[in-house]
Amino acid sequence: MQAHGDYRIHTAGRLLWIVVSGGINYQFACNYRDAVRAAAQALGPGPWLRVNDIRHWQLGGPEVIPPLQELMQWCEAHELAHSINIVSMVNLQKHMLDRMMAGVARGSQRHLTHGVDDTCQLLQQLAPELDLAPLLAAIYPAR
């Protein structure tokens, strides 16, 4: 089965900034789970932050929940401090996020934002040492 959807993972300091787009399937969810784990492990030990820009994510069927739930469990067990989701379809995307977190013991804080500017303001509070300008230029060159 070929994966559907697309993701890009960028790093800056102790931050993973991930952009997800398209409709996703089981194969995508498994590939994504493994790629996020690998990127987070490369950060080394200690608390870290994750931004998920899911504004262009077109959701997926129920088969995507188990591998994404495994990822959420792994993140919580490996010092994720904050998870920020940039959303466009608040109710639908929040519902899917809630399903992924069902039964997962949460130690991190989850935040929902509506755009890159809101996210950057929040990150300035959470990690003021981060220089976001180069990261944002790489992710959103037309910004």
Side-chain angles (χ1 to χ4, degrees):
M1 173 187 290
Q2 186 175 0
H4 291 251
D6 184 50
Y7 64 86
R8 291 175 288 130
I9 301 173
H10 305 268
T11 60
R14 309 239 6 109
L15 170 70
L16 295 184
W17 191 300
I18 306 166
V19 179
V20 178
S21 60
I24 67 171
N25 65 3
Y26 179 78
Q27 188 62 45
F28 170 96
C30 291
N31 293 342
Y32 177 79
R33 174 198 61 207
D34 297 344
V36 172
R37 282 182 187 171
Q41 286 175 322
L43 297 176
W48 55 287
L49 301 103
R50 185 182 70 219
V51 171
N52 298 301
D53 183 347
I54 58 175
R55 292 176 293 171
H56 302 288
W57 172 38
Q58 298 168 1
L59 308 177
E63 74 280 1
V64 305
I65 297 300
L68 295 177
Q69 194 170 51
E70 288 172 18
L71 174 61
M72 299 303 115
Q73 290 171 334
W74 185 90
C75 290
E76 292 298 331
H78 290 85
E79 301 187 79
L80 176 65
H82 293 272
S83 178
I84 303 167
N85 293 287
I86 308 174
V87 298
S88 58
M89 300 178 288
V90 178
N91 292 333
L92 285 174
Q93 290 168 333
K94 184 177 179 313
H95 174 72
M96 285 294 285
L97 293 168
D98 289 344
R99 288 187 60 204
M100 287 178 231
M101 288 304 298
V104 175
R106 184 171 272 289
S108 68
Q109 292 190 16
R110 184 171 78 183
H111 310 270
L112 296 178
T113 62
H114 299 283
V116 173
D117 291 337
D118 294 347
T119 303
C120 290
Q121 288 176 4
L122 178 57
L123 283 170
Q124 285 179 335
Q125 295 169 16
L126 299 174
E129 72 284 358
L130 279 175
D131 179 10
L132 295 174
L135 178 72
L136 294 174
I139 300 170
Y140 308 104
R143 186 171 182 268

